Amino acid sequence: MIRLPLPPRAWPFLVAAVTFVALLVSAGARSAQGVMLVPLQLRFGWDLATISFSAAVGIFLYGLVGPFAAALMQAVGIRKTMLGGLVLIACATLSSLWMREPWHYLLSWGVASGIGTGAIAAVLGAAVVNRWFAARQGLMMGVLSASTATGALIFLPLLAWLSRGAEWRPVALAVAIASAALIPLVLFLVPECPADVHARRYGEHPDTPPAPPMKQAATPMIAFEALFRAARVPMFWLLFATFFICGLTTNGLVGTHLIAFCGDHGIAPVAAAGLLSLMGLFDLIGTTASGWLTDRYDPRKLLAVYYGLRGLSLIALPFIDFGTVSLTLFAILYGLDWIATVPPTMKLANQAFGERDAPILFGWILTGHQIGAATAALGAGVIRQGWGSYTPAFVIAGLFGLVAAAMFVATGVQRARRLAVA
């Protein structure tokens, strides 16, 4: 690692900046499959359900790896886990240049890329925030969460342009190069913990002794032990269930199928990718603002509002005229809410389980998110192929969003009653 001549207070923000870039590259790798959907159909003749299955596997593994990646960050360190994930993404996407059969796509973009991006995901942001920040955790979690949308903002227009003429190889090559280019930054600019550079967590009281590096035996049992402890707490299952709905209503449905849905209405892939990029721009604003709000307001109320608005927007989408104004308004409103759920969900996890277990348990909660996303990625493809329309998929997803909002309203009412009795 390069020892830069930085003041101690600057190190948390440097680590957060490199993490931000790593997360947006990982998000770009995941969003690339939405761009490749149509080119792969045209180039190889694979049906939509087959391609959607590989995308669903990648999304599922992206979530399933989360708790084990968080445990690995405690066992061998954040930096080594980041490096391993980036190497795997680069190798998987580069090797896909030689694929010829559907199972090649499944292994490269589904399995290997899913595992690699799972190590560079929201659990990484949670681990970095808890290790490097004692204050403004909600805001920093919002900024890092927004990087997934920023990944779409930066990558999707370029990837859509590269995929012109049903080309998919330039898309895979671009993702591989971006992942590989980030490896030296992580290797040389990310210390393992504040004590390594004689710093402390941002906002930590000067009299607080620096925390020693957390090292445990490198075993999956770290993740399972935390899960067994949390399984007895109702808050875990509330967050798991609602994050399932979060995944179902975001990257599983919209992130994977919006370009194809717009294609059904005569909108070119580059223009449709521009809508996703617009969502990414406004999610950068919305999720950062959500982090700021999370530091100040009840996260349950915020989540009820976020899920309610998301559900209504998805129900409305199939019935708009798909004109420029209507789609732009949808992209702005939906983008503000894209992953605004992450900061308040992470705060509830920290409150319920403590800063040590929370990143691992957030990984398990993210598993629920990606199970929901995989369900939508596969289910929407099957619905489109069977019904000839995406409308039922978007309406069903919207109804799930309203259910999630109702769950937080109900728990908020129960909590208010308990406080009133106390």
Side-chain angles (χ1 to χ4, degrees):
M1 188 193 75
I2 296 176
R3 293 298 181 92
L4 299 177
L6 295 176
R9 287 175 60 88
W11 277 103
F13 296 99
L14 175 62
V15 173
V18 176
T19 303
F20 183 95
V21 177
L23 288 169
L24 72 84
V25 168
S26 178
R30 288 260 55 87
S31 64
Q33 288 188 276
V35 174
M36 295 168 65
L37 201 64
V38 174
L40 289 175
Q41 280 184 283
L42 296 176
R43 173 63 180 81
F44 293 109
W46 302 339
D47 61 58
L48 185 62
T50 297
I51 301 171
S52 296
F53 175 73
S54 295
V57 169
I59 291 171
F60 172 70
L61 289 175
Y62 175 81
L64 182 63
V65 166
F68 301 101
L72 197 61
M73 290 172 199
Q74 290 189 11
V76 303
I78 290 176
R79 182 172 57 170
K80 291 180 180 178
T81 304
M82 291 175 70
L83 289 170
L86 289 169
V87 168
L88 192 54
I89 296 169
C91 292
T93 53
L94 185 63
S95 68
S96 71
L97 294 174
W98 292 275
M99 66 182 180
R100 294 292 183 273
E101 302 293 335
W103 67 268
H104 297 161
Y105 184 56
L106 174 63
L107 287 181
S108 57
W109 283 89
V111 178
S113 179
I115 294 172
T117 53
I120 314 292
V123 291
L124 172 62
V128 167
V129 167
N130 280 358
R131 189 169 297 189
W132 286 89
F133 291 86
R136 300 289 186 267
Q137 288 187 334
L139 178 60
M140 293 309 301
M141 193 66 204
V143 171
L144 293 180
S145 300
S147 64
T148 60
T150 308
L153 172 67
I154 293 175
F155 279 96
L156 274 176
L158 172 62
L159 297 179
W161 180 79
L162 291 173
S163 68
R164 293 178 306 168
E167 289 291 337
W168 61 270
R169 287 185 177 86
V171 176
L173 184 60
V175 173
I177 291 173
S179 303
L182 190 56
I183 292 172
L185 291 180
V186 175
L187 183 62
F188 295 119
L189 299 180
V190 178
E192 186 52 45
C193 65
D196 289 348
V197 288
H198 308 291
R200 61 176 66 248
R201 297 197 302 167
Y202 174 79
E204 192 172 57
H205 193 277
D207 295 333
T208 303
M214 289 186 297
K215 296 290 184 181
Q216 300 184 25
T219 168
M221 286 308 297
I222 301 174
F224 285 118
E225 288 166 1
L227 176 62
F228 295 153
R229 289 191 295 271
R232 298 188 290 270
V233 181
M235 177 58 71
F236 173 79
W237 295 109
L238 172 65
L239 297 179
F240 186 93
T242 52
F243 235 43
F244 172 93
I245 294 172
C246 183
L248 186 142
T249 53
T250 52
N251 57 325
L253 177 64
V254 176
T256 303
H257 291 281
L258 183 64
I259 293 176
F261 188 26
C262 288
D264 289 348
H265 292 268
I267 299 172
V270 174
L275 289 174
L276 288 171
S277 294
L278 185 62
M279 291 180 193
L281 172 62
F282 279 91
D283 184 71
L284 180 62
I285 299 169
T287 305
T288 302
S290 176
W292 183 86
L293 292 169
T294 299
D295 286 330
R296 291 162 175 79
Y297 299 101
D298 184 352
R300 294 171 182 82
K301 295 179 180 178
L302 296 176
L303 288 167
V305 172
Y306 297 159
Y307 282 114
L309 292 176
R310 185 184 299 174
L312 292 173
S313 65
L314 287 174
I315 292 172
L317 177 62
F319 304 102
I320 66 175
D321 60 8
F322 277 79
T324 302
V325 175
S326 299
L327 285 175
T328 299
L329 287 175
F330 170 79
I332 291 171
L333 295 175
Y334 189 83
L336 289 170
D337 193 20
W338 177 262
I339 51 171
T341 54
V342 173
T345 300
M346 186 63 203
K347 182 173 181 178
L348 289 173
N350 271 335
Q351 290 174 346
F353 308 111
E355 291 187 353
R356 179 182 176 83
D357 278 356
I360 295 176
L361 293 172
F362 187 68
W364 284 113
I365 293 165
L366 184 63
T367 301
H369 183 284
Q370 297 309 110
I371 293 173
T375 300
L378 177 59
V382 172
I383 288 173
R384 170 63 179 81
Q385 189 161 309
W387 272 264
S389 170
Y390 276 112
T391 296
F394 278 81
V395 172
I396 292 169
L399 292 174
F400 270 105
L402 297 181
V403 169
M407 292 170 71
F408 279 109
V409 170
T411 58
V413 171
Q414 293 173 357
R415 182 171 180 266
R417 287 175 178 173
R418 288 196 302 269
L419 293 175
V421 172

